[in-house]
Amino acid sequence: MSSTRSRRLWQVTGLALLLLSVGLVAATVDWSNPRAELWRQVREGVEGYSAVRGLESGELIQASGEVWRGWRNGPLSWAGGLVLGGVALVLGLFHLLHGPQRLEKPRTGIKVPRWSLGERVLHWTTATLFIVLSLTGLSLLYGRRLLIPLIGHQTFSAYLAVAKFAHNLIGPLFVACLIVMGLIWFRDNLWQRIDWDWFKSFGGLFGGGHPHAGRMNAGEKAWFWLLMTVGAVVSVTGLLLDLPLFGLERESLQLSHILHVAAALIVMAAALGHIYIGTVGTEGALEGMISGKVDLSWVRQHHDLWLEELQQAGRLPRQGERPKVERHAHFFRPDAD
């Protein structure tokens, strides 16, 4: 018995010494991963040395680029696709179930000047630039997923180079058009109390009877102010990305890009509704922006308060007559034709 106990005692003592030795060795060994330590320092923004001169000369790797890439290719692109697709689906279903908003009374044949030549040129120029910017911008955002499987890598690469050049070149022109639009249509788009009634009845779709409206109804005003506010975000961030004149670091450019894409997707989604209402969604609306004139029945139904202003000013023509012009015509006024 004594020998057995002695053996066990020696075994326990030996095991304890072995564990103590292993612990001492482990405490003296550096178990850190050199690569992990390097990337930890990169993420913390530790400066190093690089031959590049400029604002970020001491930053070898910019870790926030992965955060930007994750937002751009992840939540932002997916949310944008859902919003654009959802709006298109809702408009399509609405048109199938409800159809366009027709004129309630027959046409009179009396044409009322609504948009001047200058306003129409400005509108169609801005619309064309907007469509090109939207298509090229969507190509930059979704092209790798949608276009490469259809046209291949080489064709997509060539197209993307042209799309990027066109996007950067046309952007400042679009900004200039927005500024002109804001200047000439600001007064017509000031909010009034009657505009809330227009929204309550969704422009006459619900509640019976068409709501009162001046030269611009509440829907047109909402579109105008969306362009002036969210469109301003698109414009400012686009210029920051387009013109290397502001000395911004990459983090600022990445934030500008995220804001640019998010705001642009919002404007594009709203533009789908504006295009639908202004074309197939409302009878007689498109002909006004093409010829500059609309039928008297259309004005009575959609802009009755503006019709009263024309009548009081003596500018409402009779059948077969041109409108009376009592003041000097202007390129951006509807009485200039």
Side-chain angles (χ1 to χ4, degrees):
M1 292 294 294
S2 60
S3 61
T4 302
R5 291 180 179 177
S6 177
R7 258 195 327 269
R8 288 180 179 177
L9 180 61
W10 282 108
Q11 290 175 353
V12 172
T13 304
L15 180 60
L17 292 173
L18 178 61
L19 293 176
L20 179 61
S21 301
V22 172
L24 292 174
V25 172
T28 58
V29 174
D30 184 8
W31 295 95
S32 62
N33 187 336
R35 294 182 179 180
E37 289 297 324
L38 172 63
W39 287 108
R40 185 176 295 109
Q41 292 179 5
V42 168
R43 287 192 297 270
E44 292 174 354
V46 176
E47 290 190 359
Y49 168 77
S50 65
V52 179
R53 295 182 179 180
L55 294 174
E56 302 175 353
S57 59
E59 189 171 3
L60 181 62
I61 299 175
Q62 201 233 7
S64 63
E66 284 301 315
V67 178
W68 161 76
R69 187 190 303 274
W71 275 97
R72 177 191 182 275
N73 298 336
L76 189 60
S77 61
W78 285 110
L82 290 175
V83 170
L84 292 176
V87 171
L89 178 62
V90 169
L91 291 174
L93 292 176
F94 176 83
H95 189 74
L96 289 175
L97 298 176
H98 184 272
Q101 194 171 19
R102 301 290 185 183
L103 288 176
E104 298 172 354
K105 295 183 179 180
R107 292 173 179 263
T108 63
I110 300 176
K111 295 298 182 179
V112 179
R114 176 155 176 78
W115 306 111
S116 73
L117 176 61
E119 288 176 316
R120 282 176 279 149
V121 170
L122 177 63
H123 173 271
W124 289 116
T125 301
T126 308
T128 302
L129 296 177
F130 178 82
I131 291 173
V132 175
L133 288 171
S134 297
L135 293 177
T136 54
L138 291 174
S139 298
L140 293 169
L141 185 61
Y142 297 108
R144 290 184 177 275
R145 295 173 183 159
L146 301 180
L147 296 181
I148 289 180
L150 296 177
I151 62 178
H153 285 272
Q154 292 183 347
T155 305
F156 172 72
S157 178
Y159 162 73
L160 201 63
V162 176
K164 184 176 182 297
F165 176 78
H167 196 86
N168 294 341
L169 180 65
I170 292 174
L173 300 177
F174 177 75
V175 174
C177 289
L178 278 187
I179 294 174
V180 177
M181 289 175 61
L183 292 175
I184 68 170
W185 284 327
F186 173 81
R187 193 172 181 180
D188 290 326
N189 286 279
L190 294 176
W191 290 102
Q192 298 176 324
R193 290 185 178 181
I194 57 172
D195 294 325
W196 299 114
D197 295 330
W198 193 97
F199 279 119
K200 289 177 184 178
S201 63
F202 286 89
L205 295 178
F206 305 102
H210 202 281
H212 299 295
R215 189 188 180 205
M216 305 291 188
N217 62 37
E220 292 169 317
K221 292 180 180 181
W223 169 243
F224 174 84
W225 288 112
L226 181 72
L227 284 178
M228 293 301 107
T229 53
V230 183
V233 176
V234 178
S235 300
V236 172
T237 54
L239 291 176
L240 293 177
L241 296 168
D242 198 3
L243 304 176
L245 303 174
F246 305 100
L248 297 179
E249 296 184 358
R250 281 175 289 181
E251 285 191 7
S252 300
L253 293 175
Q254 290 159 3
L255 177 59
S256 297
H257 181 268
I258 294 297
L259 294 175
H260 182 77
V261 174
L265 289 170
I266 293 173
V267 174
M268 281 188 276
L272 293 176
H274 174 73
I275 294 171
Y276 169 76
I277 295 173
T279 54
V280 298
T282 306
E283 181 184 359
L286 181 60
E287 63 189 58
M289 191 52 75
I290 294 177
S291 67
K293 299 178 176 65
V294 290
D295 192 86
L296 180 60
S297 291
W298 187 90
V299 181
R300 283 198 182 111
Q301 179 174 329
H302 296 283
H303 299 272
D304 56 337
L305 299 182
W306 180 53
L307 178 61
E308 293 179 4
E309 294 178 6
L310 295 177
Q311 290 173 334
Q312 293 175 2
R315 294 167 51 197
L316 187 64
R318 298 178 181 178
Q319 190 167 4
E321 293 182 350
R322 290 181 59 84
K324 297 180 181 180
V325 180
E326 298 181 353
R327 52 184 179 175
H328 179 67
H330 189 274
F331 186 64
F332 286 113
R333 284 231 308 269
D335 55 2
D337 291 342

